[in-house]
Amino acid sequence: MSFFRIYLRVLALLRSDARLAVTLAVANIALAAAQFVEPVLFGRIVDALSGALPAGLEPAAWALLPLVGTWVGFGLFIIAAGTLVAWFADRLAHRRRNLVLADYFEHVLQLPLAYHSGEHSGRQMKIMLSGTDTLWWLWVSFFREHFAAFVFIVILLPASLFLNWRLALPLLVLCVAFVALTVVVIHKAFALQRQVERHYSELAETAADALGNIALVQSYARIEIEVSGLKSLVDSLLRAQMPVLSWWAIAAVLTRAGTTLTLLVILLVGTYLKLLGLASVGQIVSFMSISAMLITRLEQAVSFANRLFTDAPKLADFFGVLDTVPAVRDRPDAFDPGRVRGLVEFNTVSLSYDGRRSAVADLSFTALPGDRIALVGPTGSGKSTALALLYRAFDPQTGFIKVDGMDVRGFTLTGLRRNIGVVFQETLLFNRSIAENLRVGKPDASDEEMRDAAARAQALDFIDRNPDGFEARIGERGRLLSGGERQRLAIARALLKDPPILILDEATSALDPVTEARVTAALDEVMKGRTTFVIAHRLATVREATRILVFQNGRIAETGTFDELVARGGFFAELVQAQFAPAK
């Protein structure tokens, strides 16, 4: 994404506040004009004071009053306008920053699992926060001060030619030299800054990895190694950053030197022109004031350009994520199906993650409402992927999946997923209270409903033992709970949702045998009347399944009841024999 395209996007994000943005722009133009007129009027006052004034204090005061009054009026206007511009610019920037952050967050949450599988969460957080902070700074600084500075330089400075073109020439030469210098620095620094941002992203990912796996870091005594690795990344970052800083330091030094020389030239040229009668003292004073203002504006411009190009890679990453089109999204004519009955049909469904090896291939089966379908097979055989296709974590490349006779791609994602409850093998919990985690699937659940779901999932005992009960916070990813407690909480969450379709992905894998037996009994009751898919490696847990689908290499190798498959003597029978054979 080119530099200019990036900043057109920055301005486009203000579209919903276009009226206020245009008002601020017009106010900045008026402010720049007033700042230009003020020193011109001051020069006229100096000429009037050094010229012939009427005799007597009162006549002289009346003669100076129009100029002095106008000059004071412009000064007061600059103060008032500057205050109002800063006031509304701050509010515009803060409001838009918060709205854009929320929109970005919503967009990222809607991106499919395939996207998140290849992107580090630490990098995503860094892009979101640094991108929105950069947008805020650009908006507030642009409207509060820099737009007026650019108007002063680009539009009003040429107007000084009409005041005295001989005195204006040094100012124009300074601006041309400044522009040429800035272009050179930008060309040199822009590519280098991209490398710097890559180092920042790597730094964020590494730190997030270590903090997210703090138990692993401490138990394996890796603190020194992780810190050493982070310091190495910091050193690499500094090596990449130094050339960029050097270029902008050169620009700042040359700009300051050029402005100092310009002031000296204007003083010398003005003195010479005064001696020739081609300039007045007031004009010299005006141009010295304009030069001082120009120096300030140029220094602001250097600082602004420095920040612009330093932050351009951050914005490029931000817009890159914002422009990512979800592979799984609602169709224009998608509709909410309401509560479905639970008839599920897979018809020659295939999916490949990399385009070379199939994750699942030619899956075809039907689950009637109330059926209990078990999926068994070796790790990596496609069981979890098959069910992820059902709730559209991915979409198949070929074939289709129907619920109640309708292609799931015709449903809204929210409408489809509201009908499906999932208990994952890896327990996924928020760093919030127990109640908030339970209400994930049913935000309006009552306290009685939560207690009932927790009791049926054998989770009520450890919840009641906690002094804070359902309001107890459980830590990041539920770390304040044991593995079995986390899994029971996840089961309770699915029960509270009360979906017509239930997916249990090794839902009892983290439970001890006694608790597993209690939860299994509860799940047996809960599974009645709803279509349930059970992924299990412990084959004893699928004896009561309506049908068992045996997966091998992404395909359904066998299908039937437990007894039918054992009697068939195939791959499933081998799995059963391997699990139940007596240890030697």
Side-chain angles (χ1 to χ4, degrees):
M1 187 179 292
S2 69
F3 171 80
F4 292 106
R5 186 182 170 198
I6 289 173
Y7 288 102
L8 286 176
R9 291 287 302 276
V10 171
L11 294 176
L13 289 175
L14 296 174
R15 188 179 294 113
S16 60
D17 280 298
R19 181 177 298 178
L20 178 56
V22 170
T23 302
L24 287 171
V26 172
N28 271 278
I29 294 173
L31 191 59
Q35 290 171 338
F36 179 82
V37 171
E38 186 187 24
V40 175
L41 287 171
F42 185 69
R44 297 285 175 85
I45 293 172
V46 170
D47 281 338
L49 288 172
S50 61
L53 287 172
L57 179 61
E58 186 174 345
W62 280 105
L64 290 172
L65 183 61
L67 281 174
V68 174
T70 305
W71 179 67
V72 171
F74 271 95
L76 293 175
F77 172 79
I78 290 171
I79 295 172
T83 302
L84 291 174
V85 165
W87 178 282
F88 286 104
D90 284 353
R91 277 147 185 76
L92 172 65
H94 279 87
R95 182 170 64 250
R96 291 307 306 162
R97 190 257 302 269
N98 293 337
L99 292 173
V100 169
L101 187 147
D103 290 342
Y104 179 93
F105 185 63
E106 180 182 8
H107 174 76
V108 171
L109 291 181
Q110 290 174 341
L111 293 175
L113 288 180
Y115 174 86
H116 290 284
S117 298
E119 293 290 334
H120 197 284
S121 58
R123 179 176 182 271
Q124 291 300 314
M125 285 295 296
K126 180 255 181 188
I127 290 175
M128 180 176 72
L129 296 177
S130 64
T132 51
D133 284 348
T134 299
L135 289 170
W136 170 82
W137 178 86
L138 282 174
W139 290 326
V140 74
S141 63
F142 182 75
F143 284 115
R144 194 162 58 186
E145 54 188 23
H146 291 117
F147 185 60
F150 285 120
V151 170
F152 185 92
I153 294 170
V154 175
I155 299 176
L156 299 178
L157 186 60
S160 63
L161 290 168
F162 294 99
L163 297 177
N164 190 314
W165 65 268
R166 296 175 181 85
L167 288 172
L169 282 179
L171 299 180
L172 295 178
V173 170
L174 173 64
C175 287
V176 171
F178 164 76
V179 170
L181 173 65
T182 303
V183 169
V184 170
V185 172
I186 285 171
H187 177 72
K188 296 291 186 180
F190 187 55
L192 294 173
Q193 188 62 33
R194 291 290 303 175
Q195 297 295 327
V196 173
E197 286 305 311
R198 292 192 186 97
H199 286 294
Y200 273 118
S201 293
E202 190 175 356
L203 191 66
E205 292 175 13
T206 301
D209 259 345
L211 294 173
N213 294 282
I214 189 66
L216 177 66
V217 170
Q218 292 181 351
S219 62
Y220 278 77
R222 285 190 56 87
I223 293 177
E224 291 184 6
I225 297 174
E226 294 296 329
V227 172
S228 176
L230 192 71
K231 287 181 178 179
S232 177
L233 290 176
V234 170
D235 291 340
S236 299
L237 170 62
L238 289 175
R239 284 194 297 270
Q241 185 74 76
M242 287 306 174
V244 180
L245 297 177
S246 298
W247 277 107
W248 285 110
I250 291 172
V253 169
L254 292 179
T255 300
R256 189 171 293 276
T259 53
T260 302
L261 289 174
T262 302
L263 279 173
L264 180 60
V265 169
I266 288 176
L267 180 60
L268 294 175
V269 171
T271 302
Y272 177 70
L273 293 175
K274 176 64 173 68
L275 295 175
L276 294 179
L278 297 176
S280 66
V281 173
Q283 286 180 328
I284 296 173
V285 171
S286 293
F287 271 90
M288 291 295 289
S289 298
I290 292 173
S291 298
M293 293 176 63
L294 179 63
I295 291 169
T296 302
R297 300 296 181 268
L298 289 177
E299 289 177 344
Q300 287 179 348
V302 170
S303 174
F304 188 65
N306 183 2
R307 182 70 182 265
L308 288 181
F309 285 90
T310 298
D311 289 342
K314 298 177 185 177
L315 292 175
D317 289 340
F318 181 84
F319 288 123
V321 176
L322 207 58
D323 290 340
T324 301
V325 178
V328 178
R329 59 187 185 276
D330 288 341
R331 291 178 174 177
D333 58 347
F335 66 97
D336 188 334
R339 186 175 178 88
V340 302
R341 293 186 300 114
L343 172 64
V344 177
E345 301 170 82
F346 276 62
N347 193 309
T348 60
V349 171
S350 298
L351 172 71
S352 173
Y353 294 125
D354 55 13
R356 296 188 298 271
R357 178 178 172 273
S358 293
V360 293
D362 298 323
L363 300 183
S364 294
F365 63 89
T366 300
L368 299 175
D371 275 357
R372 188 182 306 182
I373 306 298
L375 287 72
V376 302
T379 300
S381 58
K383 306 182 296 298
S384 295
T385 298
L387 296 184
L389 289 168
L390 175 58
Y391 57 86
R392 294 192 69 196
F394 316 95
D395 275 338
Q397 274 104 25
T398 61
F400 56 86
I401 302 169
K402 290 183 177 181
V403 171
D404 288 0
M406 295 172 286
D407 193 323
V408 294
R409 288 170 291 194
F411 299 155
T412 61
L413 287 169
T414 300
L416 171 67
R417 292 169 181 171
R418 193 183 293 118
N419 281 282
I420 301 174
V422 185
V423 180
F424 296 96
Q425 182 176 8
E426 178 188 1
T427 308
L428 304 176
L429 297 169
F430 290 115
N431 182 16
R432 301 170 190 172
S433 70
I434 292 175
E436 288 175 293
N437 275 280
L438 289 176
R439 287 192 172 112
V440 164
K442 191 177 182 181
D444 59 347
S446 66
D447 292 345
E448 292 74 15
E449 289 173 321
M450 283 195 301
R451 289 190 66 84
D452 179 63
R456 293 161 70 189
Q458 309 297 315
L460 193 57
D461 55 348
F462 75 81
I463 294 175
D464 284 340
R465 282 200 306 268
N466 193 302
D468 295 323
F470 283 88
E471 298 307 313
R473 296 186 70 87
I474 61 175
E476 186 177 3
R477 299 180 184 177
R479 285 178 178 164
L480 298 179
L481 304 177
S482 68
E485 289 171 344
R486 289 196 295 268
Q487 197 72 341
R488 281 182 276 170
L489 199 59
I491 294 170
R493 179 173 59 194
L495 300 181
L496 184 62
K497 186 178 180 181
D498 188 30
I501 300 172
L502 185 64
I503 296 174
L504 305 175
D505 189 348
E506 287 291 320
T508 60
S509 61
L511 305 180
D512 61 83
V514 174
T515 305
E516 180 181 5
R518 294 164 62 190
V519 172
T520 300
L523 289 175
D524 286 340
E525 182 64 27
V526 172
M527 286 187 284
K528 291 179 181 178
R530 74 182 81 234
T531 308
T532 306
F533 295 92
V534 181
I535 298 176
H537 288 104
R538 299 184 209 174
L539 302 183
T541 63
V542 300
R543 282 185 178 275
E544 303 303 320
T546 307
R547 190 156 19 111
I548 298 172
L549 306 179
V550 184
F551 277 69
Q552 275 187 293
N553 300 318
R555 297 176 181 272
I556 298 176
E558 299 174 321
T559 181
T561 65
F562 189 95
D563 293 336
E564 288 172 350
L565 292 173
V566 171
R568 196 174 299 167
F571 179 64
F572 182 79
E574 294 177 8
L575 293 176
V576 171
Q577 185 177 8
Q579 282 198 17
F580 293 101
K584 296 182 179 180

